[in-house]
Amino acid sequence: MEMHVKLEGVEKALQSLDYKKVVRAGKRAITRAANSGKTIISSQIRDKFKIAKSDIDKKIMVGLRNINNLEGEIEVKGEPISLMYFKPESISGSGIRTHVTKGVVAKTWTKKKATGGVKVKILKAGRVAILPKSFIARGKGGTQLVFRRMRGVISSRTGREKLAARKLITYPSIVKEPMNLSAIRAKINAVLVDRFKHELDGEWGK
């Protein structure tokens, strides 16, 4: 996913300043806004998801190949995120039940549950998610993954329901969510406008 950082108000600035000064101010403003955009996107994702800053920052690229046209790009990359990133834990298929009478433990026994599963916390503000009929195992390459059985999809080799690795949405899809995208654009534009004004004031004083 790419976001373009484009400067508005250049024509108005040209009415009172010469072209070279406006372009210099514009280039500096766009460079600052694009680099700030990387931090803004990273923060927007980390505010909601339990993902390390260093892992997100590696997926956000700033491009200035069109800076002479007063334009910059911010690209967000990334494959689907494995649930193993969030340190999931297996849930046992059985549990201990205790019967208490008048404050005294009268009986304790093991109750078999219908199914086990996996628990994992993905969102900072959210609850721990329970994934029933899921389990942690090693995939073909030896990497641990969270698997689930695909209901109704039968394997011709085993005669059982096929397995699929559970994955989370990608970094680009997180950014594309309307609320996230709107907040990110507003913050980047605010930096761009403020910086352009600052740079123009500097050029005016030269």
Side-chain angles (χ1 to χ4, degrees):
M1 176 197 170
E2 281 193 3
M3 294 183 66
H4 293 269
V5 181
K6 207 164 185 179
L7 190 59
E8 305 292 340
V10 175
E11 294 81 4
K12 185 176 180 180
L14 284 171
Q15 295 175 8
S16 55
L17 287 170
D18 68 53
Y19 177 80
K20 289 183 179 180
K21 288 186 176 183
V22 173
V23 170
R24 279 200 301 266
K27 285 182 178 180
R28 288 195 292 267
I30 288 172
T31 300
R32 175 63 68 88
N35 286 315
S36 295
K38 179 173 181 173
T39 302
I40 290 167
I41 292 172
S42 176
S43 297
Q44 189 74 18
I45 295 174
R46 287 184 291 109
D47 282 347
K48 295 184 178 181
F49 293 88
K50 294 181 66 178
I51 301 175
K53 182 179 184 298
S54 58
D55 292 331
I56 298 174
D57 289 352
K58 288 186 292 188
K59 306 297 183 182
I60 306 172
M61 314 295 173
V62 174
L64 298 171
R65 61 181 180 273
N66 293 321
I67 192 65
N68 288 332
N69 296 324
L70 298 182
E71 187 174 339
E73 301 90 31
I74 306 170
E75 185 176 6
V76 184
K77 300 180 178 180
E79 298 298 321
I81 306 165
S82 170
L83 280 180
M84 292 305 298
Y85 180 89
F86 300 95
K87 299 181 172 65
E89 297 178 16
S90 297
I91 302 172
S92 173
S94 62
I96 302 298
R97 292 194 66 182
T98 303
H99 179 66
V100 180
T101 302
K102 295 181 180 180
V104 179
V105 176
K107 186 178 180 182
T108 300
W109 69 97
T110 300
K111 180 187 177 182
K112 204 73 176 171
K113 295 180 181 177
T115 181
V118 171
K119 64 179 181 179
V120 60
K121 185 170 175 56
I122 299 169
L123 300 175
K124 282 187 174 179
R127 296 180 177 180
V128 173
I130 304 297
L131 308 175
K133 297 184 179 180
S134 299
F135 58 93
I136 300 171
R138 293 191 182 279
K140 291 181 179 178
T143 303
Q144 279 197 320
L145 298 169
V146 178
F147 288 96
R148 64 178 175 84
R149 292 203 174 274
M150 301 171 67
R151 183 177 294 179
V153 182
I154 306 301
S155 169
S156 58
R157 184 174 63 85
T158 65
R160 301 181 65 188
E161 289 179 324
K162 287 186 176 181
L163 300 178
R166 287 185 177 271
K167 295 180 180 179
L168 195 65
I169 51 181
T170 63
Y171 293 116
S173 62
I174 294 172
V175 174
K176 284 181 181 177
E177 290 179 5
M179 288 184 63
N180 288 335
L181 191 57
S182 177
I184 289 168
R185 282 177 170 165
K187 291 175 182 177
I188 292 175
N189 284 334
V191 172
L192 184 58
V193 170
D194 181 71
R195 198 66 203 178
F196 187 44
K197 182 180 182 301
H198 174 81
E199 297 295 345
L200 282 176
D201 288 344
E203 290 292 341
W204 183 267
K206 290 181 179 179

